[in-house]
């Protein structure tokens, strides 16, 4: 577990070439980050079925998801 190195968490994300969550990659991350926070980054915004993806990430043990709500740039909110 990388927490023994003083790491509080990991922010990362992995998608397949088809834009789906790379389950193997996320499971590997969870395996090295057993006692620290695992955050899935804005790759989430590229996923078409976000509702299913949230359920999938919860099942995989992800603690948080970073997202812009599907908006590519902050200026699009203006």
């Amino acid at each position: 577990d990388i927490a023994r190195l003083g790491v509080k968490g990991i922010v990362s994300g992995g998608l397949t070439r088809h834009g789906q969550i790379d389950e193997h990659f996320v499971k590997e991350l969870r395996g090295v980050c057993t006692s620290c926070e695992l955050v899935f980054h804005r790759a989430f915004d590229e996923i078409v079925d976000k509702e299913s993806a949230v359920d999938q990430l919860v099942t995989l043990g992800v603690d948080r998801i970073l997202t812009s709500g599907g908006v590519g740039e902050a200026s699009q909110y203006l």
Side-chain angles (χ1 to χ4, degrees):
D1 186 357
I2 62 171
R4 65 182 162 72
L5 301 173
V7 175
K8 303 260 189 243
I10 293 177
V11 177
S12 188
L15 302 178
T16 66
R17 70 177 107 167
H18 303 292
Q20 298 172 329
I21 295 168
D22 185 335
E23 286 192 27
H24 177 74
F25 176 73
V26 176
K27 284 178 184 177
E28 289 289 320
L29 283 176
R30 183 79 276 172
V32 299
C33 184
T34 58
S35 62
C36 59
E37 188 172 47
L38 178 57
V39 181
F40 197 86
H41 69 42
R42 286 187 55 215
F44 181 82
D45 291 334
E46 301 300 318
I47 299 170
V48 175
D49 186 355
K50 290 174 179 45
E51 189 172 327
S52 291
V54 168
D55 293 337
Q56 188 177 11
L57 290 170
V58 167
T59 299
L60 290 168
V62 171
D63 299 298
R64 297 177 191 266
I65 300 170
L66 298 178
T67 179
S68 63
V71 178
E73 297 179 15
S75 63
Q76 293 176 322
Y77 287 110
L78 303 176

